[in-house]
Coordinates of all heavy atoms in Angstrom, one line a residue:
M2 N 0.8 -1.1 0.0 CA 0.1 0.0 0.0 C 0.9 1.3 0.0 O 1.6 1.5 0.9 CB -0.9 -0.1 1.3 CG -1.9 1.0 1.3 SD -3.1 0.7 2.6 CE -2.2 -0.1 3.9
S3 N 0.9 2.0 -1.1 CA 1.8 3.1 -1.2 C 1.1 4.1 -2.2 O 0.2 3.7 -2.8 CB 3.2 2.7 -1.6 OG 3.1 2.4 -2.9
G4 N 1.6 5.3 -2.1 CA 1.2 6.2 -3.1 C 0.5 7.4 -2.3 O 0.4 7.5 -1.2
I5 N 0.0 8.4 -3.2 CA -0.8 9.5 -2.7 C -2.2 9.4 -3.2 O -2.5 9.0 -4.2 CB -0.2 10.7 -3.2 CG1 1.3 10.9 -2.8 CG2 -1.0 12.1 -2.9 CD1 2.0 12.0 -3.5
Y6 N -3.1 9.7 -2.2 CA -4.6 9.4 -2.4 C -5.3 10.7 -2.4 O -4.9 11.7 -1.7 CB -5.2 8.5 -1.3 CG -4.6 7.1 -1.5 CD1 -3.5 6.7 -0.8 CD2 -5.2 6.2 -2.3 CE1 -2.9 5.5 -1.0 CE2 -4.7 4.9 -2.5 CZ -3.6 4.5 -1.8 OH -3.1 3.2 -2.0
D7 N -6.4 10.9 -3.2 CA -7.1 12.0 -3.1 C -8.0 12.0 -1.9 O -8.1 13.1 -1.2 CB -8.1 12.0 -4.3 CG -7.4 12.2 -5.6 OD1 -6.5 13.0 -5.8 OD2 -7.7 11.3 -6.6
T8 N -8.4 10.8 -1.5 CA -9.2 10.7 -0.3 C -9.0 9.4 0.4 O -8.9 8.3 -0.2 CB -10.8 10.8 -0.6 OG1 -11.1 11.9 -1.5 CG2 -11.6 10.9 0.6
I9 N -8.9 9.4 1.8 CA -8.8 8.2 2.6 C -10.0 8.1 3.4 O -10.3 9.1 4.1 CB -7.6 8.2 3.5 CG1 -6.3 8.3 2.6 CG2 -7.5 7.0 4.4 CD1 -5.0 8.5 3.4
V10 N -10.8 7.0 3.3 CA -12.0 6.9 4.1 C -11.8 5.8 5.1 O -11.2 4.8 4.9 CB -13.2 6.4 3.1 CG1 -14.5 6.2 4.0 CG2 -13.4 7.3 2.0
V11 N -12.1 6.1 6.3 CA -11.9 5.2 7.5 C -13.2 4.5 7.8 O -14.2 5.2 8.2 CB -11.3 5.9 8.8 CG1 -11.1 5.0 9.8 CG2 -10.0 6.6 8.4
G12 N -13.2 3.2 7.7 CA -14.5 2.4 8.0 C -15.3 2.0 6.8 O -15.8 2.7 6.1
A13 N -15.3 0.6 6.7 CA -16.0 0.0 5.5 C -17.4 -0.5 6.0 O -17.7 -1.6 5.6 CB -15.1 -1.0 4.9
G14 N -18.1 0.3 6.7 CA -19.6 0.0 6.9 C -20.2 0.5 5.6 O -19.7 0.8 4.6
I15 N -21.6 0.6 5.7 CA -22.3 1.0 4.5 C -22.0 2.5 4.2 O -21.9 2.8 3.0 CB -23.9 0.9 4.8 CG1 -24.6 1.2 3.4 CG2 -24.4 1.8 5.9 CD1 -24.4 0.2 2.4
E16 N -21.8 3.3 5.2 CA -21.4 4.6 4.9 C -20.0 4.9 4.2 O -20.0 5.5 3.2 CB -21.5 5.6 6.1 CG -22.8 5.6 6.9 CD -23.8 6.4 6.2 OE1 -23.4 7.1 5.3 OE2 -25.0 6.3 6.5
G17 N -19.0 4.3 4.8 CA -17.7 4.4 4.2 C -17.6 3.7 2.8 O -16.9 4.3 2.0
S18 N -18.2 2.5 2.8 CA -18.1 1.8 1.6 C -18.8 2.5 0.4 O -18.2 2.5 -0.6 CB -18.7 0.4 1.7 OG -18.1 -0.4 2.6
S19 N -19.9 3.2 0.7 CA -20.6 3.9 -0.3 C -19.8 5.1 -0.7 O -19.7 5.4 -2.0 CB -22.0 4.4 0.2 OG -22.8 3.3 0.6
T20 N -19.2 5.7 0.2 CA -18.5 7.0 0.0 C -17.3 6.6 -0.9 O -17.1 7.3 -1.9 CB -18.0 7.6 1.3 OG1 -19.1 7.9 2.2 CG2 -17.2 8.8 1.1
A21 N -16.5 5.6 -0.6 CA -15.3 5.2 -1.2 C -15.8 4.8 -2.6 O -15.0 5.1 -3.7 CB -14.6 4.1 -0.5
Y22 N -16.9 4.0 -2.8 CA -17.4 3.5 -4.1 C -17.6 4.7 -5.0 O -17.1 4.6 -6.1 CB -18.6 2.7 -3.8 CG -19.2 2.1 -5.1 CD1 -18.6 1.1 -5.8 CD2 -20.5 2.7 -5.6 CE1 -19.3 0.6 -6.8 CE2 -21.0 2.1 -6.8 CZ -20.4 1.1 -7.4 OH -21.0 0.6 -8.6
Y23 N -18.4 5.6 -4.5 CA -18.6 6.8 -5.5 C -17.5 7.6 -5.7 O -17.4 8.3 -6.8 CB -19.9 7.5 -4.9 CG -21.1 6.6 -5.2 CD1 -21.7 5.9 -4.3 CD2 -21.7 6.6 -6.5 CE1 -22.9 5.2 -4.5 CE2 -22.7 5.7 -6.7 CZ -23.4 5.0 -5.8 OH -24.5 4.3 -6.1
L24 N -16.7 7.8 -4.8 CA -15.4 8.6 -5.0 C -14.6 7.9 -6.1 O -14.1 8.5 -7.1 CB -14.6 8.8 -3.8 CG -15.1 9.8 -2.8 CD1 -14.3 9.6 -1.4 CD2 -14.9 11.2 -3.2
A25 N -14.4 6.6 -6.0 CA -13.6 5.9 -7.1 C -14.2 6.0 -8.3 O -13.5 6.0 -9.4 CB -13.4 4.4 -6.6
K26 N -15.6 5.8 -8.3 CA -16.3 5.9 -9.6 C -16.1 7.2 -10.3 O -16.2 7.3 -11.6 CB -17.8 5.7 -9.4 CG -18.3 4.2 -9.5 CD -19.7 4.1 -9.5 CE -20.2 4.1 -10.9 NZ -21.6 3.6 -11.0
Q27 N -15.9 8.3 -9.5 CA -15.7 9.6 -10.1 C -14.3 9.8 -10.4 O -13.9 10.9 -10.7 CB -16.1 10.7 -9.1 CG -17.7 10.7 -8.9 CD -18.1 11.6 -7.6 OE1 -17.2 12.4 -7.2 NE2 -19.3 11.5 -7.3
G28 N -13.4 8.8 -10.3 CA -12.1 8.9 -10.7 C -11.1 9.4 -9.5 O -9.9 9.6 -9.8
Q29 N -11.6 9.5 -8.3 CA -10.7 9.8 -7.3 C -9.9 8.6 -6.8 O -10.4 7.5 -6.7 CB -11.6 10.3 -6.1 CG -12.5 11.5 -6.3 CD -11.6 12.8 -6.0 OE1 -11.2 13.0 -5.0 NE2 -11.6 13.6 -7.1
K30 N -8.6 8.9 -6.6 CA -7.8 7.8 -6.1 C -8.2 7.7 -4.6 O -7.8 8.6 -3.8 CB -6.4 8.1 -6.2 CG -5.5 6.9 -6.0 CD -4.0 7.1 -6.4 CE -3.2 5.9 -6.1 NZ -1.8 6.2 -6.3
T31 N -8.8 6.6 -4.3 CA -9.4 6.5 -2.9 C -8.8 5.3 -2.2 O -8.7 4.2 -2.7 CB -10.9 6.2 -3.1 OG1 -11.5 7.3 -3.9 CG2 -11.6 6.2 -1.8
L32 N -8.6 5.4 -0.9 CA -8.1 4.3 0.0 C -9.2 4.1 1.1 O -9.7 5.2 1.8 CB -6.8 4.7 0.6 CG -6.2 3.7 1.5 CD1 -5.9 2.3 0.7 CD2 -5.0 4.2 2.2
L33 N -9.7 2.9 1.3 CA -10.7 2.7 2.2 C -10.1 1.7 3.3 O -9.6 0.6 3.1 CB -11.9 1.9 1.5 CG -13.1 1.3 2.5 CD1 -13.6 2.5 3.2 CD2 -14.1 0.7 1.6
F34 N -10.0 2.2 4.5 CA -9.5 1.5 5.7 C -10.5 0.7 6.5 O -11.6 1.4 6.7 CB -8.7 2.4 6.6 CG -7.4 2.7 6.3 CD1 -6.9 4.1 6.2 CD2 -6.4 1.7 6.2 CE1 -5.5 4.4 6.0 CE2 -5.0 2.0 6.0 CZ -4.7 3.3 5.8
E35 N -10.3 -0.5 6.7 CA -11.3 -1.2 7.7 C -10.4 -1.9 8.8 O -9.4 -2.7 8.4 CB -12.1 -2.1 6.9 CG -13.0 -3.0 7.7 CD -13.8 -2.3 8.8 OE1 -14.6 -1.4 8.5 OE2 -13.7 -2.8 10.0
Q36 N -10.8 -1.9 10.0 CA -10.0 -2.5 11.0 C -10.2 -4.0 11.0 O -9.3 -4.7 11.7 CB -10.4 -1.9 12.4 CG -11.8 -2.0 12.8 CD -12.1 -1.2 14.1 OE1 -11.2 -1.0 15.0 NE2 -13.5 -1.1 14.3
F37 N -11.3 -4.6 10.6 CA -11.6 -6.0 10.6 C -11.6 -6.5 9.2 O -12.0 -5.8 8.3 CB -12.8 -6.3 11.4 CG -12.9 -5.7 12.7 CD1 -14.0 -4.9 13.2 CD2 -12.0 -6.1 13.7 CE1 -14.0 -4.3 14.5 CE2 -12.1 -5.7 15.1 CZ -13.1 -4.8 15.4
P38 N -11.2 -7.8 9.2 CA -11.5 -8.5 7.7 C -12.9 -8.5 7.4 O -13.8 -8.8 8.2 CB -10.9 -9.9 8.0 CG -10.2 -9.8 9.2 CD -10.7 -8.7 10.1
L39 N -13.2 -8.1 6.2 CA -14.6 -8.1 5.6 C -15.1 -9.5 5.1 O -14.3 -10.0 4.3 CB -14.7 -7.0 4.6 CG -14.6 -5.5 5.1 CD1 -14.5 -4.6 4.1 CD2 -15.7 -5.2 6.1
P40 N -16.3 -9.8 5.1 CA -17.4 -9.1 6.0 C -17.2 -9.5 7.5 O -16.7 -10.6 7.8 CB -18.7 -9.6 5.4 CG -18.3 -11.1 4.9 CD -16.8 -11.0 4.5
H41 N -17.5 -8.6 8.3 CA -17.5 -8.9 9.7 C -18.8 -8.5 10.4 O -19.7 -7.8 9.8 CB -16.4 -8.2 10.4 CG -16.4 -6.7 10.5 ND1 -17.3 -6.0 11.4 CD2 -16.0 -5.7 9.8 CE1 -17.3 -4.8 11.2 NE2 -16.4 -4.5 10.2
N42 N -19.0 -9.0 11.6 CA -20.3 -8.7 12.3 C -20.2 -7.7 13.5 O -20.9 -7.9 14.4 CB -20.9 -10.0 12.7 CG -20.1 -10.8 13.7 OD1 -19.0 -10.2 14.1 ND2 -20.5 -11.9 14.2
R43 N -19.2 -6.9 13.4 CA -18.9 -6.0 14.6 C -19.2 -4.6 14.3 O -18.8 -3.7 14.9 CB -17.4 -6.1 14.9 CG -17.1 -7.5 15.4 CD -15.7 -7.8 15.5 NE -15.2 -7.3 16.7 CZ -13.9 -7.6 17.3 NH1 -13.0 -8.3 16.4 NH2 -13.5 -7.1 18.4
G44 N -19.9 -4.4 13.1 CA -20.4 -2.9 12.8 C -21.9 -2.9 12.7 O -22.6 -3.9 12.7
S45 N -22.5 -1.7 12.7 CA -24.0 -1.6 12.5 C -24.4 -2.2 11.2 O -25.7 -2.5 11.1 CB -24.3 -0.2 12.7 OG -24.0 0.3 13.9
S46 N -23.7 -2.2 10.2 CA -24.1 -2.6 8.8 C -24.1 -4.0 8.7 O -24.6 -4.6 7.7 CB -23.1 -2.0 7.8 OG -23.1 -0.6 7.8
H47 N -23.8 -4.9 9.7 CA -23.9 -6.3 9.7 C -25.4 -6.7 9.4 O -26.3 -6.1 10.0 CB -23.3 -6.9 10.9 CG -23.6 -8.3 11.1 ND1 -22.9 -9.3 10.3 CD2 -24.4 -9.0 11.8 CE1 -23.3 -10.5 10.5 NE2 -24.2 -10.4 11.6
G48 N -25.5 -7.8 8.7 CA -26.9 -8.3 8.6 C -27.3 -8.2 7.1 O -26.7 -7.6 6.4
Q49 N -28.5 -8.8 6.9 CA -28.9 -9.0 5.5 C -30.2 -8.2 5.1 O -30.7 -8.3 4.1 CB -29.0 -10.4 5.1 CG -27.7 -11.1 5.1 CD -27.8 -12.5 4.7 OE1 -28.8 -13.2 4.8 NE2 -26.8 -13.0 3.9
S50 N -30.8 -7.4 6.1 CA -32.0 -6.8 5.8 C -32.1 -5.5 6.6 O -31.5 -5.3 7.7 CB -33.2 -7.8 6.2 OG -33.3 -7.9 7.6
R51 N -32.8 -4.5 6.0 CA -33.0 -3.3 6.6 C -34.4 -2.7 6.2 O -34.9 -3.0 5.2 CB -32.0 -2.2 6.1 CG -30.6 -2.4 6.7 CD -30.6 -2.1 8.3 NE -29.3 -2.2 8.9 CZ -28.7 -3.3 9.2 NH1 -29.2 -4.4 9.1 NH2 -27.6 -3.3 9.8
I52 N -35.1 -2.1 7.1 CA -36.3 -1.5 6.8 C -36.1 0.0 6.4 O -35.1 0.7 6.8 CB -37.2 -1.3 8.2 CG1 -37.5 -2.7 8.7 CG2 -38.4 -0.6 8.0 CD1 -37.9 -2.7 10.2
T53 N -36.7 0.4 5.2 CA -36.5 1.7 4.7 C -38.0 2.4 4.6 O -39.0 1.6 4.5 CB -35.9 1.7 3.4 OG1 -36.7 1.0 2.5 CG2 -34.5 1.2 3.4
R54 N -38.0 3.7 4.5 CA -39.2 4.3 4.4 C -39.0 5.7 3.6 O -37.9 6.2 3.7 CB -39.9 4.5 5.7 CG -39.2 5.5 6.6 CD -39.8 5.5 8.0 NE -38.9 6.0 9.0 CZ -39.0 7.2 9.6 NH1 -39.8 8.0 9.2 NH2 -38.1 7.5 10.5
K55 N -40.0 6.1 3.0 CA -39.9 7.5 2.3 C -40.8 8.5 3.1 O -40.8 9.7 2.6 CB -40.4 7.3 0.9 CG -39.6 6.4 0.0 CD -40.1 6.4 -1.5 CE -39.3 5.6 -2.4 NZ -39.7 5.6 -3.7
A56 N -41.5 8.1 4.1 CA -42.4 9.0 4.8 C -41.7 9.7 6.0 O -41.2 9.1 6.8 CB -43.6 8.3 5.3
Y57 N -41.4 11.1 5.9 CA -40.9 11.8 7.0 C -41.7 13.0 7.1 O -41.9 13.7 6.2 CB -39.4 12.2 6.6 CG -38.5 11.0 6.6 CD1 -38.2 10.3 5.5 CD2 -37.8 10.6 7.8 CE1 -37.3 9.2 5.4 CE2 -36.9 9.6 7.8 CZ -36.7 8.8 6.7 OH -35.8 7.8 6.7
G58 N -42.2 13.2 8.4 CA -43.0 14.3 8.8 C -42.4 15.7 8.5 O -42.8 16.3 7.4
S59 N -41.6 16.1 9.3 CA -41.0 17.5 9.1 C -39.5 17.5 8.3 O -39.1 18.7 8.3 CB -40.9 18.1 10.5 OG -40.0 17.4 11.4
Q60 N -39.1 16.4 7.9 CA -37.7 16.4 7.3 C -37.9 16.0 5.9 O -37.5 14.8 5.5 CB -36.9 15.4 8.1 CG -36.5 16.0 9.5 CD -36.2 14.9 10.4 OE1 -36.8 13.9 10.5 NE2 -35.2 15.2 11.3
E61 N -38.4 16.9 5.1 CA -38.6 16.7 3.7 C -37.4 16.1 3.0 O -37.7 15.4 2.0 CB -39.3 17.9 2.9 CG -39.9 17.6 1.6 CD -40.5 18.9 1.0 OE1 -40.9 19.8 1.8 OE2 -40.5 18.8 -0.2
H62 N -36.3 16.7 3.2 CA -35.0 16.4 2.5 C -34.8 14.9 2.5 O -34.2 14.3 1.7 CB -33.8 17.2 3.1 CG -33.5 16.9 4.4 ND1 -34.3 17.6 5.4 CD2 -32.5 16.3 5.1 CE1 -33.7 17.2 6.6 NE2 -32.7 16.5 6.4
Y63 N -35.2 14.2 3.7 CA -34.9 12.8 3.8 C -35.8 12.1 2.7 O -35.3 11.1 2.2 CB -35.3 12.3 5.2 CG -34.3 12.4 6.3 CD1 -34.7 12.5 7.6 CD2 -33.0 12.6 5.9 CE1 -33.8 12.8 8.6 CE2 -32.0 12.8 6.9 CZ -32.4 12.9 8.2 OH -31.5 13.1 9.2
A64 N -37.1 12.5 2.5 CA -38.0 11.9 1.6 C -37.4 12.1 0.2 O -37.4 11.1 -0.7 CB -39.4 12.5 1.6
V65 N -36.8 13.2 -0.2 CA -36.2 13.5 -1.4 C -35.0 12.6 -1.6 O -34.7 12.0 -2.6 CB -35.8 15.0 -1.6 CG1 -35.0 15.2 -2.8 CG2 -37.0 15.8 -1.5
M66 N -34.2 12.4 -0.7 CA -33.0 11.6 -0.6 C -33.3 10.2 -0.9 O -32.6 9.4 -1.5 CB -32.1 11.8 0.7 CG -31.4 13.0 0.7 SD -30.7 13.3 2.4 CE -29.4 12.0 2.4
M67 N -34.5 9.7 -0.3 CA -34.8 8.3 -0.5 C -35.1 7.9 -1.8 O -34.8 6.9 -2.3 CB -36.0 7.9 0.5 CG -35.7 7.9 1.9 SD -34.3 6.8 2.3 CE -35.0 5.2 1.9
N68 N -35.7 8.8 -2.6 CA -36.0 8.6 -4.0 C -34.7 8.3 -4.8 O -34.5 7.5 -5.5 CB -36.6 9.8 -4.7 CG -38.2 9.7 -4.5 OD1 -38.7 8.6 -4.1 ND2 -38.8 10.8 -4.3
E69 N -33.7 9.2 -4.5 CA -32.3 9.0 -5.1 C -31.7 7.7 -4.5 O -31.1 7.0 -5.4 CB -31.5 10.2 -4.8 CG -30.2 10.2 -5.6 CD -29.3 11.4 -5.2 OE1 -29.6 12.2 -4.4 OE2 -28.2 11.5 -5.8
A70 N -31.8 7.4 -3.4 CA -31.3 6.2 -2.8 C -31.7 5.0 -3.5 O -31.0 4.1 -3.7 CB -31.5 6.2 -1.2
F71 N -33.1 4.9 -3.7 CA -33.6 3.7 -4.2 C -33.1 3.6 -5.7 O -32.9 2.5 -6.3 CB -35.1 3.8 -4.3 CG -35.7 3.2 -3.0 CD1 -35.9 4.0 -1.8 CD2 -36.0 1.9 -2.9 CE1 -36.4 3.5 -0.7 CE2 -36.4 1.3 -1.6 CZ -36.7 2.1 -0.6
Q72 N -33.0 4.7 -6.4 CA -32.5 4.6 -7.9 C -31.0 4.1 -7.8 O -30.6 3.4 -8.7 CB -32.4 6.1 -8.6 CG -33.9 6.4 -8.9 CD -34.0 8.0 -9.3 OE1 -32.9 8.6 -9.6 NE2 -35.2 8.5 -9.3
L73 N -30.2 4.7 -6.9 CA -28.8 4.3 -6.8 C -28.8 2.8 -6.4 O -27.8 2.1 -6.9 CB -28.1 5.1 -5.8 CG -27.8 6.6 -6.2 CD1 -27.3 7.5 -5.1 CD2 -27.0 6.6 -7.4
W74 N -29.6 2.3 -5.5 CA -29.6 1.0 -5.0 C -29.8 0.1 -6.4 O -29.2 -0.9 -6.5 CB -30.7 0.7 -4.0 CG -30.6 -0.7 -3.4 CD1 -31.4 -1.7 -3.7 CD2 -29.5 -1.1 -2.5 NE1 -31.0 -2.7 -2.8 CE2 -29.8 -2.4 -2.1 CE3 -28.4 -0.5 -1.9 CZ2 -29.1 -3.1 -1.3 CZ3 -27.7 -1.2 -1.0 CH2 -28.0 -2.6 -0.7
E75 N -30.8 0.4 -7.1 CA -31.2 -0.4 -8.4 C -30.0 -0.4 -9.3 O -29.7 -1.4 -10.0 CB -32.5 0.2 -9.0 CG -33.8 -0.2 -8.3 CD -34.9 0.5 -8.6 OE1 -34.9 1.3 -9.7 OE2 -35.9 0.5 -8.0
Q76 N -29.4 0.8 -9.4 CA -28.2 0.9 -10.4 C -27.1 0.0 -9.9 O -26.4 -0.8 -10.7 CB -27.7 2.4 -10.3 CG -26.5 2.6 -11.3 CD -26.0 4.1 -11.1 OE1 -26.8 5.0 -10.9 NE2 -24.7 4.2 -11.2
L77 N -26.8 0.0 -8.6 CA -25.8 -0.9 -8.0 C -26.1 -2.3 -8.2 O -25.3 -3.2 -8.7 CB -25.7 -0.6 -6.5 CG -24.6 -1.4 -5.7 CD1 -23.2 -1.1 -6.3 CD2 -24.6 -1.1 -4.2
E78 N -27.5 -2.7 -8.1 CA -27.8 -4.1 -8.3 C -27.6 -4.5 -9.7 O -27.0 -5.6 -10.1 CB -29.3 -4.3 -8.0 CG -29.6 -4.4 -6.5 CD -31.1 -4.6 -6.3 OE1 -32.0 -4.2 -7.2 OE2 -31.5 -5.1 -5.3
R79 N -27.8 -3.6 -10.7 CA -27.6 -3.9 -12.1 C -26.1 -4.1 -12.3 O -25.8 -5.0 -13.1 CB -28.2 -2.7 -12.9 CG -29.7 -2.7 -13.2 CD -30.1 -1.8 -14.4 NE -29.7 -0.5 -14.1 CZ -30.5 0.4 -13.5 NH1 -31.7 0.0 -12.9 NH2 -30.1 1.7 -13.4
E80 N -25.3 -3.2 -11.8 CA -23.9 -3.3 -12.0 C -23.2 -4.6 -11.4 O -22.5 -5.3 -12.1 CB -23.2 -2.0 -11.4 CG -23.4 -0.8 -12.1 CD -22.8 0.4 -11.4 OE1 -22.0 0.2 -10.3 OE2 -23.1 1.6 -11.8
K81 N -23.8 -4.9 -10.3 CA -23.2 -6.1 -9.7 C -23.7 -7.3 -10.4 O -23.0 -8.3 -10.5 CB -23.6 -6.2 -8.1 CG -22.9 -5.1 -7.4 CD -21.4 -5.5 -7.2 CE -20.6 -4.2 -7.7 NZ -19.3 -4.3 -7.8
T82 N -25.0 -7.4 -10.9 CA -25.4 -8.5 -11.6 C -24.7 -8.6 -12.8 O -24.3 -9.8 -13.3 CB -26.9 -8.3 -12.0 OG1 -27.6 -8.1 -10.8 CG2 -27.5 -9.5 -12.7
Q83 N -24.4 -7.6 -13.6 CA -23.5 -7.7 -14.8 C -22.1 -8.2 -14.5 O -21.5 -8.9 -15.3 CB -23.5 -6.3 -15.6 CG -24.7 -6.0 -16.3 CD -24.8 -4.5 -16.7 OE1 -23.9 -3.8 -16.5 NE2 -25.9 -4.1 -17.3
E84 N -21.6 -7.7 -13.4 CA -20.2 -8.2 -13.1 C -20.2 -9.6 -12.7 O -19.3 -10.3 -13.0 CB -19.9 -7.3 -11.8 CG -18.3 -7.3 -11.6 CD -18.0 -6.4 -10.4 OE1 -18.3 -5.1 -10.4 OE2 -17.6 -6.8 -9.3
C85 N -21.3 -10.1 -12.0 CA -21.2 -11.5 -11.5 C -21.7 -12.5 -12.7 O -21.3 -13.7 -12.6 CB -22.1 -11.7 -10.3 SG -21.5 -10.8 -8.8
Y86 N -22.7 -12.0 -13.4 CA -23.2 -12.8 -14.6 C -23.2 -12.1 -15.8 O -24.2 -11.7 -16.4 CB -24.7 -13.1 -14.2 CG -24.9 -13.8 -12.8 CD1 -25.4 -12.9 -11.9 CD2 -24.5 -15.1 -12.5 CE1 -25.5 -13.4 -10.5 CE2 -24.7 -15.5 -11.2 CZ -25.2 -14.8 -10.3 OH -25.4 -15.2 -9.0
P87 N -21.9 -12.0 -16.4 CA -21.8 -11.1 -17.6 C -22.5 -11.7 -18.9 O -22.7 -12.9 -18.8 CB -20.4 -11.0 -17.9 CG -19.7 -12.1 -17.0 CD -20.6 -12.4 -16.0
Ligands
LIG463 C1 -29.3 -4.4 14.8 C2 -29.5 -3.1 14.0 C3 -30.6 -3.0 13.2 C4 -30.7 -1.8 12.3 N1 -31.8 -1.8 11.5 C5 -31.9 -0.7 10.7 C6 -33.0 -0.6 9.7 O1 -33.9 -1.5 9.7 N2 -33.0 0.4 9.0 C7 -32.1 1.5 8.9 O2 -32.2 2.3 8.2 N3 -31.0 1.3 9.7 C8 -31.0 0.3 10.6 N4 -29.8 0.3 11.4 C9 -28.9 1.3 11.4 C10 -28.0 1.2 10.3 O3 -27.7 -0.2 10.1 C11 -26.7 1.9 10.6 O4 -27.0 3.3 10.7 C12 -25.6 1.8 9.4 O5 -25.4 0.5 9.2 C13 -24.4 2.6 10.0 O6 -23.4 2.4 9.0 P1 -22.0 3.0 9.2 O7 -21.2 2.7 8.0 O8 -22.1 4.4 9.7 O9 -21.4 2.3 10.5 P2 -20.8 0.7 10.7 O10 -21.6 -0.2 9.8 O11 -20.7 0.4 12.1 O12 -19.5 0.9 10.0 C14 -18.3 1.5 10.7 C15 -17.1 0.7 10.2 O13 -15.9 1.4 10.6 C16 -15.0 0.6 11.1 N5 -14.1 1.4 11.9 C17 -14.4 2.0 13.0 N6 -13.3 2.7 13.6 C18 -12.2 2.3 12.7 C19 -10.9 2.7 12.7 N7 -10.3 3.5 13.6 N8 -10.2 2.1 11.6 C20 -10.7 1.4 10.7 N9 -12.0 0.9 10.7 C21 -12.8 1.4 11.7 C22 -15.7 -0.6 11.8 O14 -15.1 -1.7 12.0 C23 -17.0 -0.7 10.9 O15 -16.7 -1.7 9.9 C24 -29.6 -0.9 12.3 C25 -28.5 -1.0 13.1 C26 -28.5 -2.1 13.9 C27 -27.2 -2.3 14.8

């Protein structure tokens, strides 16, 4: 591991992994640090299911973000499907 990076992200949970993924996709030389071998069960992102919702009372920006999040999730699914089953 050597070189100069545009960005170093610490922690490969869902937040750090997503951040590093999109930085790398934008051409940023990105380094993602994780303290445990992946996958591991010692972070909040462990597990295979999550509840999501688009309804937020006073925080409209969350509802707007959820629409984008669902589009990005579907895009990631398509990319990974093509990568695994070309
Ligand atoms: C049991 C449970 C159920 C949940 N259910 C839901 C749900 O249904 N819906 C929902 O929206 N949210 C849910 N959440 C919340 C959601 O899972 C978390 O908000 C989200 O996973 C947090 O992701 P994160 O990347 O911020 O943190 P984490 O997943 O904890 O990732 C942090 C990572 O950083 C690493 N790290 C920390 N310090 C260092 C260091 N110094 N050097 C290197 N690596 C380091 C850790 O090892 C870890 O891998 C749930 C959480 C839990 C625990």
Side-chain angles (χ1 to χ4, degrees):
M2 185 169 35
S3 66
I5 296 174
Y6 293 89
D7 298 311
T8 311
I9 298 175
V10 180
V11 180
I15 189 63
E16 298 290 346
S18 298
S19 303
T20 301
Y22 177 75
Y23 284 102
L24 284 168
K26 272 188 91 165
Q27 289 170 15
Q29 297 276 306
K30 193 171 179 195
T31 306
L32 179 65
L33 176 60
F34 273 124
E35 172 52 53
Q36 62 184 336
F37 302 121
L39 292 170
H41 68 77
N42 61 4
R43 301 169 77 175
S45 295
S46 302
H47 169 70
Q49 296 185 324
S50 65
R51 285 295 182 276
I52 296 164
T53 60
R54 63 189 161 105
K55 293 183 179 179
Y57 288 93
S59 58
Q60 294 155 316
E61 194 184 330
H62 60 284
Y63 282 153
V65 173
M66 285 171 68
M67 286 308 289
N68 284 329
E69 186 182 4
F71 273 90
Q72 287 169 13
L73 291 172
W74 188 255
E75 287 169 9
Q76 181 187 324
L77 183 63
E78 281 182 337
R79 282 195 299 274
E80 288 173 12
K81 290 296 127 189
T82 303
Q83 283 168 8
E84 199 176 293
C85 296
Y86 309 102

